[in-house]
Amino acid sequence: MNEPLKSRREREKQARYDAILNAAELVFSEKGYERTSMDDIARTASLSRALLYVYFKDKAAIQRGIMLRAGQSLVTRFENALGSAETGLAQIRAMGEAYYRFYLEEPDYFSALTKASTAIADADEEQTREMLCSKNELMQLMTAAIHTGLEDGTMSRERISSPAQTALYLRGALHGVIMRAN
């Protein structure tokens, strides 16, 4: 009997956590991060300010929670891109297109990820681990596509000595192109 209660409690806790992030996303997009207060987020989430602090120590922790959501959204897009193409080169192309669509369709998440590398310095241990895992998942998906491309011959072994390094370069270059173009 304890187990169903525990899972119900965990579901309720997760629902509150999600409600706080949903409220924060809404308020941040309306007022901007700097002008948003913890009271604004608590009010929008229909929670007391005290309960809000049970879940997040400050506004920056909430922002990092949103960054985690953004990272998972991009990981899902990359996973779908990887599964949508046969050759390694086509997979990388699909990931590039998915990244651009992410920028167009989820600009707040794109912006959050742009700030993630500096925000991670202030994250607690769990958020740091989750943020790094999300970043690593993205790199692993890109690296896997490059390995596929090397295996199937759609990418050159003479030009690519390190798939991981190439993935890192491609991700940075793609981000730079998107930032520059808009």
Side-chain angles (χ1 to χ4, degrees), residues 6-7 12-13 21 28 40 47 53 62 65 68 80 88-89 91-92 101 117 128 148 160 165 173 179:
K6 183 180 175 190
S7 63
E12 289 171 355
K13 187 176 178 180
L21 292 182
F28 288 164
D40 294 329
L47 297 172
Y53 281 105
I62 293 172
L68 286 170
N80 293 338
L89 184 60
Q91 289 171 347
I92 286 291
R101 280 193 310 278
S117 60
T128 299
T148 299
I160 299 173
Q165 193 174 16
M179 295 296 290

Side-chain angles (χ1 to χ4, degrees), residues 38-86:
M38 291 294 272
D39 284 331
D40 294 329
I41 297 167
R43 202 172 20 261
T44 303
S46 302
L47 297 172
S48 71
R49 188 173 166 182
L51 187 56
L52 183 66
Y53 281 105
V54 168
Y55 287 85
F56 296 95
K57 71 175 185 166
D58 56 21
K59 188 170 67 168
I62 293 172
Q63 179 67 7
R64 288 188 298 272
I66 292 170
M67 290 172 184
L68 286 170
R69 276 186 168 181
Q72 277 313 118
S73 176
L74 187 55
V75 164
T76 299
R77 287 173 179 264
F78 273 32
E79 287 170 340
N80 293 338
L82 191 67
S84 72
E86 294 295 316

Side-chain angles (χ1 to χ4, degrees), residues 14 24 27-28 31 36 38 55 77 82 94 118 127 137 170:
Q14 184 63 48
V27 180
F28 288 164
K31 295 179 81 172
T36 297
M38 291 294 272
Y55 287 85
R77 287 173 179 264
L82 191 67
T118 54
Q127 276 189 326
E137 283 180 86
L170 285 174

Side-chain angles (χ1 to χ4, degrees), residues 104-145:
L104 292 175
E105 296 166 7
E106 300 183 88
D108 290 341
Y109 277 2
F110 181 86
S111 177
L113 284 185
T114 299
K115 298 171 189 147
S117 60
T118 54
I120 201 167
D122 299 322
D124 64 28
E125 190 176 326
E126 184 178 343
Q127 276 189 326
T128 299
R129 185 181 45 74
E130 290 174 350
M131 291 172 84
L132 289 173
C133 284
S134 182
K135 186 177 179 180
N136 289 341
E137 283 180 86
L138 291 169
M139 294 309 298
Q140 287 169 352
L141 290 165
M142 290 186 77
T143 302

